[in-house]
Amino acid sequence: MLTAIWETEGLQTVGIVVLVCASIKLLHLLGLINFSEDSVEDELELSAVRHRPEGLEQLEAQTRFSRKELQILYRGFKNECPSGVVNEDTFKDIYAQFFPQGDASTYAHFLFNAFDTDHNGSVSFEDFVMGLSILLRGTVQEKLNWAFNLYDINKDGYITKEEMLDIMKAIYDMMGKCTYPVLKEETPRQHVEIFFQKMDKNKDGVVTIDEFIDCCQNDENIMRSMHLFENVI
Amino acid sequence: MAAGVAAWLPFARAAAIGWMPVANCPMPVAPRDHSKRQDELIILNVSGRRFQTWRTTLDRYPDTLLGSSEKEFFYNEETKEYFFDRDPDAFRSILNFYRTGKLHYPRYECISAYDEELAFFGIIPEIIGDCCYEEYKDRKRENLERLQDDQEENKDMRLPNMNFRETMWRAFENPHTSTMALVFYYVTGFFIAISVITNVVETVPCGATANQKDMPCGERYTVAFFCMDTACVMIFTVEYLMRLFAAPSRYRFMRSVMSIIDVVAILPYYIGLVMTNNEDVSGAFVTLRVFRVFRIFKFSRHSQGLRILGYTLKSCASELGFLLFSLTMAIIIFATVMFYAEKGSSSSKFTSIPASFWYTIVTMTTLGYGDMVPKTIAGKIFGSICSLSGVLVIALPVPVIVSNFSRIYHQNQRADKRRAQKKARLSRIRIAKAGSSNAFLQSKRNGLLNELLELTGTEEDEQKLTKNTSLLESQHHHLLHCLEKTTAHEFVDEQIYEQNCLETALQSYPSRSPSVSSHDGSLGTCCSRRVKRNTPLPNASVPPAHPVPAHQGPLQELSAVHIQCGDPPCHTTSRSNLNLKTDDSSRINCKSGQITTAIISLPTPPALTPDGDGLHGPPQRRPPPPPGHPPAPSIQTTTSSAGTNIVKVSAL
């Protein structure tokens, strides 16, 4: 008998609770009640960052490109990135389009860091054009410097084996799966070993910038390849 | 590689310097850019609107017209621009494709016009961007459906050689094709109605006799109803067997819905005949009688709307399924809750959960019979929640079904409208086509008239005549003329052709006087138009008899050229006029030189005089002796003329 009464009363309570919760939810839905205070700021989300490069004359002075070349470069840049800056995802997208068979995202990440000299997370046109200026019109010393900067992931002035391994893996990733001969697990590691044998003169396990530049300047192939892309623009 | 990022290729190549120190082997030689020309602006002139863009922009997509050397075909040397005679509005989207790498489909553009532009510029429509692709596909599908509807109607065209079976099938499927089919259609419809009404009336209680209770009419007038039923079933059986016989694929026919309905409608009768009055099976027999109501579905052959409804329900099967599923879920939930809520109250009707199903269904569909009501407070609360949610759950899938139905219904209406307009359209198209062929026939007459006028008329009139046809027309006519000469046959008007066919069927003629026939033999071949035909006398009641060239049949074609003038008419008989050279000038000097040709065909009278009236040359005119009373000639003017005064000049 008692249980029957409790059952009914229990159900009544449940019913009333359900009703109350539903009405509260309805009011919240209609916007009359606000539970959390931080919902209003969502409306004021900033639109994409816009960036305008410095004037043409300044860029002309800072880089080794002519006026016309800068114009062409900017047109291409702005076409792809109308907001004026490239963030890392866009950069990865663009770079990945050139290597459809493999995964270029890791290498693009390293490249992005190499171009983003002020480390603010985006590459503006100035960064872009200055990097290109070094790569295409710079001296061999500057180019080798740039390459060292690329390999030195944490920018501490030393290339360790781990850093080199990361870079090597990233490069091999761009090849993808379908290669001849078939890519094996230890190929990047072996490549790193060869690299270190060549570069690391004092066998201390790291490569410094001087070791790097010295070694490259003594290598015929590398020297010749430095001039490979001179007439790209 | 997407062409949009082509601008970044120099960057990617420059960044490759990063690999150099790592590489062990020498690098390949870089390609030299021989055509190192400066990026230049090129001008694209599209129907007068000038678009300018960089050459490299267009080079991004080398497999299109603008990106390849194909555009050199459109280069205009004098103005140093590329000229395209196309729609400049549509060209906007195409040029934007080169600039941004994304092809957009503008909504205001007609889908087929846009497709044509894309095809012209060598761009495949599949690369339309995601933003516009759906819209493009929808429009394209709609257009295709519309065209398909048009094509399906063409299938209605009567095939020339249909055997009896095919004719019958066609009559069954489209009752409008012949009267017999229409009669059959209405008769079956009538009998379906009779059968359904009979079934209904059978159960109405007729007046009771004194000592018997109220009986339904079916039991009172058993024989009458049985006879009705038999008649209807016989008609249905015959109809079904005829359809089965006529069906092109009997197996498919037997599987179709309509045939199953037919079978289900007539089977109970036969089963009833076969079964005895055994008490055990009479229950089953009664059940079978229920199936007689399926006869009403036979009406769907007669009603377009019913078919549409059925088709809609079929196409909304998923929505209906969702509705059913959600309803079932809600019913079970609420029935359970109500049961437990009402368990405590005394004398509650909610004896079990399945018993509560009834309450839930009635409440959710807002029927509310009131035979079961909750008494406790909890029950009432949950009951109200149940009815509110019921409205929502049922209202959700209904708009989808409605929109589907509306779409299919409008499609059908459009098809009907198009069918109705089709007749008018076809006749207009036929007139237009006839216009062009008549233009050719008229120019032939003009050619004759030219020769005529060479003798009699003045120079300026000749020029006036020839000026009326444009260069394109005259070249077209020359082409048709060459075809005539090639095949040694002539183009004639449709009516004349039909009449000729009729006449060949009725009569056959031996060839007449040899001289005439030899001349006539040259007719239609390379020879002159002069040996054409005689002149009729439109006002004369006695048309001449004509010889018939053996190989051409009774071609009574007349070339009579009417020169319409504003001057007072000269209602003289034509032939004599020609011989009066003096009068010609007065006629030909009519200022309003509107020329109409009349093609007059005369059925040949039975008796022909041996020496026919072939005209062998313009000066020779011998009026043929009228043999009898041939029927009146039929005059048909091919071009309408504004004025009323028609002076007929007979050409040769």
Side-chain angles (χ1 to χ4, degrees), chain B residues 375-551:
Chain B
K375 294 199 176 65
T376 61
I377 295 182
K380 289 189 176 159
I381 290 175
F382 287 115
S384 42
I385 297 178
C386 169
S387 63
L388 285 175
S389 58
V391 168
L392 284 175
V393 165
I394 292 184
L396 281 174
V398 168
V400 178
I401 298 174
V402 164
S403 80
N404 257 2
F405 178 77
S406 158
R407 181 174 58 88
I408 296 171
Y409 183 69
H410 282 305
Q411 227 175 3
N412 261 68
Q413 271 204 326
R414 238 202 343 239
D416 285 339
K417 217 182 354 174
R418 242 205 317 281
R419 223 172 300 157
Q421 290 170 347
K422 195 172 182 176
K423 273 196 178 161
R425 256 185 92 209
L426 278 180
S427 63
R428 260 183 276 136
I429 290 174
R430 212 191 334 236
I431 289 177
K433 268 206 226 162
S436 76
S437 67
N438 284 341
F440 173 59
L441 295 167
Q442 175 187 334
S443 76
K444 282 206 293 196
R445 314 293 169 258
N446 284 353
L448 291 173
L449 185 63
N450 272 344
E451 290 156 14
L452 167 68
L453 284 180
E454 266 164 38
L455 315 165
T456 60
T458 56
E459 272 299 313
E460 47 177 86
D461 296 308
E462 220 180 283
Q463 279 172 356
K464 228 188 301 186
L465 292 174
T466 50
K467 209 173 29 171
N468 284 344
T469 52
S470 69
L471 179 63
L472 206 63
E473 254 185 78
S474 50
Q475 286 175 342
H476 184 214
H477 292 162
H478 174 252
L479 183 68
L480 292 173
H481 205 147
C482 291
L483 183 60
E484 282 186 338
K485 297 291 186 213
T486 310
T487 56
H489 284 71
E490 275 189 2
F491 289 111
V492 292
D493 199 6
E494 201 178 302
Q495 267 155 314
I496 296 179
Y497 172 70
E498 281 177 5
Q499 248 167 345
N500 294 340
C501 288
L502 199 60
E503 283 152 14
T504 37
L506 295 175
Q507 305 154 10
S508 63
Y509 296 91
S511 64
R512 289 296 144 191
S513 54
S515 58
V516 174
S517 31
S518 66
H519 266 276
D520 296 335
S522 59
L523 190 65
T525 53
C526 306
C527 264
S528 57
R529 300 256 144 243
R530 297 159 181 248
V531 199
K532 219 29 177 87
R533 273 307 121 215
N534 312 306
T535 60
L537 304 165
N539 301 325
S541 55
V542 204
H546 303 280
V548 174
H551 65 281

Side-chain angles (χ1 to χ4, degrees), chain B residues 216-264:
Chain B
C217 283
E219 289 181 24
R220 222 161 135 194
Y221 304 103
T222 322
V223 179
F225 280 104
F226 182 72
C227 289
M228 277 280 230
D229 208 17
T230 312
C232 293
V233 169
M234 274 200 324
I235 303 262
F236 295 152
T237 316
V238 164
E239 179 208 349
Y240 180 70
L241 289 174
M242 282 193 354
R243 274 184 208 262
L244 192 62
F245 166 70
S249 155
R250 297 220 170 96
Y251 177 62
R252 214 159 56 108
F253 171 72
M254 283 178 60
R255 276 195 326 184
S256 73
V257 175
M258 289 309 304
S259 114
I260 292 178
I261 290 178
D262 287 339
V263 168
V264 168

Side-chain angles (χ1 to χ4, degrees), chain B residues 96-110:
Chain B
N96 280 339
F97 165 62
Y98 287 91
R99 291 178 181 143
T100 61
K102 287 203 269 278
L103 180 62
H104 295 280
Y105 170 60
R107 268 152 222 254
Y108 57 81
E109 197 75 46
C110 167

Side-chain angles (χ1 to χ4, degrees), chain B residues 283-311:
Chain B
F285 180 56
V286 166
T287 321
L288 276 177
R289 291 187 126 210
V290 169
F291 283 99
R292 288 190 306 174
V293 79
F294 276 86
R295 288 182 197 162
I296 206 170
F297 282 115
K298 286 166 71 78
F299 264 132
S300 63
R301 273 217 188 89
H302 296 252
S303 158
Q304 178 86 312
L306 260 182
R307 276 205 296 270
I308 294 177
L309 191 64
Y311 185 62

Side-chain angles (χ1 to χ4, degrees), chain A residues 11 79-80 97 107 115 151 191, chain B residues 2 11 18-19 22 60 340:
Chain A
L11 272 170
N79 214 7
E80 202 57 34
Q97 306 226 19
Y107 188 70
F115 267 89
Y151 300 149
H191 205 143
Chain B
F11 156 74
W19 308 335
V22 178
R60 282 193 197 147
Y340 282 113

Side-chain angles (χ1 to χ4, degrees), chain A:
Chain A
M1 180 64 188
L2 216 57
T3 38
I5 295 177
W6 284 348
E7 258 181 35
T8 28
E9 288 206 4
L11 272 170
Q12 278 182 7
T13 327
V14 168
I16 293 172
V17 165
V18 163
L19 255 183
V20 168
C21 287
S23 45
I24 290 178
K25 195 74 187 140
L26 187 67
L27 289 176
H28 179 61
L29 219 61
L30 293 176
L32 298 173
I33 306 181
N34 230 338
F35 280 139
S36 52
E37 304 305 323
D38 49 12
S39 53
V40 195
E41 274 86 43
D42 296 328
E43 334 284 314
L44 303 172
E45 201 180 276
L46 288 170
S47 47
V49 173
R50 291 208 197 289
H51 181 92
R52 212 170 282 154
E54 316 167 0
L56 209 48
E57 291 79 14
Q58 281 165 302
L59 279 177
E60 236 185 314
Q62 284 168 356
T63 65
R64 299 197 186 90
F65 289 119
S66 75
R67 206 182 169 85
K68 259 216 161 1
E69 287 166 342
L70 282 173
Q71 280 178 341
I72 295 176
L73 279 173
Y74 188 65
R75 280 208 296 269
F77 185 84
K78 183 111 177 135
N79 214 7
E80 202 57 34
C81 320
S83 59
V85 290
V86 196
N87 57 2
E88 186 159 347
D89 292 324
T90 323
F91 191 87
K92 281 187 181 165
D93 274 338
I94 295 173
Y95 200 72
Q97 306 226 19
F98 294 107
F99 304 99
Q101 280 194 310
D103 174 26
S105 49
T106 333
Y107 188 70
H109 167 77
F110 295 133
L111 211 52
F112 186 80
N113 286 337
F115 267 89
D116 185 15
T117 41
D118 46 3
H119 303 289
N120 58 355
S122 61
V123 168
S124 65
F125 183 63
E126 290 97 338
D127 298 333
F128 177 72
V129 109
M130 297 230 243
L132 272 187
S133 164
I134 295 176
L135 286 172
L136 298 176
R137 303 285 158 94
T139 63
V140 175
Q141 183 91 352
E142 287 174 343
K143 288 182 190 172
L144 289 172
N145 216 344
W146 189 89
F148 185 85
N149 208 9
L150 173 69
Y151 300 149
D152 185 11
I153 299 177
N154 54 3
K155 316 280 183 249
D156 60 354
Y158 299 104
I159 305 180
T160 62
K161 273 205 181 151
E162 287 75 26
E163 287 174 341
M164 204 56 223
L165 189 58
D166 284 340
I167 299 267
M168 203 62 74
K169 278 212 206 127
I171 295 180
Y172 275 97
D173 276 345
M174 283 197 286
M175 289 291 295
K177 231 175 25 158
C178 313
T179 56
Y180 177 78
V182 179
L183 221 47
K184 293 200 268 287
E185 267 294 319
E186 58 273 11
T187 318
R189 199 175 293 275
Q190 286 170 351
H191 205 143
V192 171
E193 289 301 322
I194 299 172
F195 178 79
F196 263 77
Q197 269 173 0
K198 219 173 25 165
M199 300 279 168
D200 192 8
K201 287 293 180 319
N202 56 1
K203 303 288 177 237
D204 57 354
V206 292
V207 178
T208 63
I209 178 108
D210 304 307
E211 285 176 343
F212 183 73
I213 293 183
D214 275 334
C215 185
C216 289
Q217 277 177 334
N218 294 336
D219 189 328
E220 276 292 321
N221 280 337
I222 297 181
M223 279 292 109
R224 206 173 321 131
S225 61
M226 282 291 141
H227 301 282
L228 199 58
F229 296 113
E230 302 230 294
N231 54 352
V232 162
I233 296 268

Side-chain angles (χ1 to χ4, degrees), chain B residues 72-138:
Chain B
E72 302 302 325
F73 286 100
F74 298 92
Y75 189 65
N76 188 348
E77 299 291 342
E78 299 117 46
T79 51
K80 297 246 178 292
E81 59 189 19
Y82 295 88
F83 182 75
F84 298 97
D85 202 5
R86 309 291 296 185
D87 183 13
D89 288 325
F91 189 74
R92 264 186 58 237
S93 351
I94 290 174
L95 195 53
N96 280 339
F97 165 62
Y98 287 91
R99 291 178 181 143
T100 61
K102 287 203 269 278
L103 180 62
H104 295 280
Y105 170 60
R107 268 152 222 254
Y108 57 81
E109 197 75 46
C110 167
I111 183 76
S112 32
Y114 191 70
D115 266 343
E116 273 174 27
E117 293 295 311
L118 286 185
F120 179 83
F121 286 103
I123 301 175
I124 48 172
E126 271 65 33
I127 49 180
I128 290 183
D130 288 332
C131 42
C132 301
Y133 193 63
E134 213 180 293
E135 166 90 11
Y136 173 80
K137 272 292 173 206
D138 282 343

